[in-house]
Amino acid sequence: MGFWQKAMISVACSPALRRMGEAVGRKTGLAAQFVSGSDGADHVARARELDGQGIRISSFYLGEYVTDPAQVTRTVTQLADLVPKLDEVGLDVHVSVDPSQLGYMQDPAMLRNNAQKLAGMIGEIAAGQNDERCRRLMIDMEDFDMIDDTLALHDQLRDLGLPVAQTLQARLFRTEGDLMRKIDQGAMVRLVKGAMAPPASVAFTRRSDIDANYLKLADMMLSDRARETEFSPVFGSHHRELLEKIASLADARGWPRDTFEFEMLYGVNQPLQRDLVSRGYRLRLYAPFGEDWWAYAWRRVGENPRNLGLLLRSGFNR
């Protein structure tokens, strides 16, 4: 699995393959499978359609492996423009960001300032509101060597009273300790398996071991301690058997179905999405928008080889 992920990340980062793939994507509609819109207006329109089906969204502006400061500025501008538009039409203002999108590769101060700007905008919208809409800046987790800095960013923003949440990866050995600290904080955590390929010295590599650890961590997220601290659990997966076990555990422990969320990727496993919503569970889709779709799509293939067939079939059968 590690080799497959590394290979797909190489595909995602290849300029030559990107040029060829984007040309094919424009002709076939391949990009549209995993992308909710080419710009903010298209994204908001699609988000409103999904909201009418009882599905919430987390907005992500496309751009992976950001090394260009101009791209950082473009990302912040796009998201700052999107935030009020989501609120104006009555949607959740739930925005996902990679630290590298906000300046991690350039300057720690740039990262903090950009993250604080976006979280501050969301916080202003949330201030004084008393409804069921969720307003958060969700910080994604990237490479293993970025974890401490990423968690520190979350805590800095949280200490300022800003509405932030954190993604943690079940494949990592250290996540149990990181999760316990977030539970004690009463934070919001999105648990995912992890799309990167860390070394075996720090991570589970067999799918069965990753799934087992995911369930162990989910048990912690639905514990009495989590309820006491008003921790907010979010379970990111497309694995039906895994989600069914978590749903049963939550029901058995008396967690109302509107107090936790399942989160899935836009365009993946729609039958399971519809099933969860029909049963009264809260579902959120990680919904990217923008033009730079190539790296994002191939990271999804790296995360699950089955997505390769889905990606190709959806693109050439549209």
Side-chain angles (χ1 to χ4, degrees):
M1 187 63 175
F3 174 79
W4 174 262
Q5 284 188 305
K6 290 174 183 176
M8 292 305 100
I9 289 172
S10 296
V11 171
C13 294
S14 168
L17 290 175
R18 176 190 291 264
R19 287 192 294 271
M20 180 177 68
E22 288 182 345
V24 172
R26 284 190 292 270
K27 292 178 180 178
T28 64
L30 182 61
Q33 173 64 26
F34 291 142
V35 178
S36 62
S38 60
D39 57 29
D42 288 345
H43 172 71
V44 171
R46 181 62 179 137
R48 294 185 74 179
E49 292 176 8
L50 291 168
D51 187 64
Q53 301 169 30
I55 298 174
R56 301 160 184 255
I57 58 101
S58 185
S59 304
F60 176 78
Y61 182 66
L62 286 164
E64 308 267 323
Y65 313 107
V66 177
T67 57
D68 181 4
Q71 175 65 19
V72 173
T73 300
R74 185 157 55 250
T75 296
V76 175
T77 299
Q78 288 285 336
L79 293 176
D81 183 63
L82 177 71
V83 164
K85 292 179 179 177
L86 291 169
D87 182 62
E88 287 167 5
V89 296
L91 298 174
D92 283 1
V93 184
H94 192 291
V95 175
S96 290
V97 291
D98 291 348
S100 66
Q101 290 185 297
L102 302 186
Y104 182 90
M105 307 297 290
Q106 288 76 28
D107 177 35
M110 178 187 296
L111 170 63
R112 287 194 303 273
N113 291 340
N114 286 333
Q116 187 172 335
K117 174 181 178 178
L118 294 173
M121 291 182 66
I122 297 171
E124 289 178 6
I125 289 172
Q129 301 295 325
N130 187 25
D131 55 35
E132 295 183 354
R133 283 192 280 165
C134 182
R135 303 168 179 89
R136 297 274 182 155
L137 182 70
M138 174 66 76
I139 303 173
D140 296 338
M141 191 63 74
E142 297 183 271
D143 291 335
F144 181 79
D145 59 4
M146 297 171 63
I147 293 177
D148 288 332
D149 291 336
T150 300
L151 296 177
L153 175 65
H154 171 275
D155 292 347
Q156 290 164 3
L157 297 175
R158 181 180 171 85
D159 289 345
L160 292 173
L162 298 175
V164 292
Q166 180 63 60
T167 303
L168 295 178
Q169 298 175 336
R171 69 170 57 246
L172 300 176
F173 298 152
R174 63 170 287 170
T175 296
E176 182 175 353
D178 293 334
L179 176 60
M180 181 54 69
R181 286 185 285 275
K182 294 304 171 194
I183 290 174
D184 287 342
Q185 287 179 343
M188 173 182 281
V189 166
R190 172 208 280 152
L191 181 65
V192 300
K193 292 184 181 180
M196 299 301 183
S201 59
V202 301
F204 300 100
T205 57
R206 294 192 306 177
R207 184 174 298 278
S208 59
D209 291 335
I210 297 170
D211 288 350
N213 197 50
Y214 193 108
L215 280 174
K216 179 181 180 180
L217 299 173
D219 183 82
M220 293 170 58
M221 293 168 71
L222 295 169
S223 65
D224 290 341
R225 176 59 178 165
R227 198 195 309 268
E228 290 169 4
T229 64
E230 298 185 349
F231 175 80
S232 298
V234 181
F235 302 103
S237 176
H238 308 96
H239 186 174
R240 179 181 284 275
E241 182 179 352
L242 195 63
L243 295 186
E244 291 291 356
K245 289 178 179 178
I246 293 169
S248 296
L249 178 63
D251 288 346
R253 292 188 177 171
W255 282 73
R257 294 183 180 185
D258 62 353
T259 59
F260 63 95
E261 291 184 349
F262 292 120
E263 184 166 325
M264 302 175 68
L265 298 174
Y266 179 89
V268 177
N269 204 342
Q270 288 95 334
L272 178 55
Q273 293 176 13
R274 291 190 291 269
D275 182 44
L276 290 170
V277 172
S278 71
R279 292 157 58 190
Y281 291 104
R282 287 177 62 141
L283 175 68
R284 187 177 303 279
L285 299 185
Y286 185 90
F289 72 100
E291 298 287 348
D292 191 14
W293 63 273
W294 173 260
Y296 173 83
W298 285 100
R299 265 222 291 157
R300 303 284 70 80
V301 174
E303 186 174 10
N304 186 344
R306 287 174 293 184
N307 283 341
L308 177 60
L310 183 151
L311 179 64
L312 296 176
R313 286 195 304 274
S314 63
F316 290 99
N317 292 335
R318 295 181 74 85

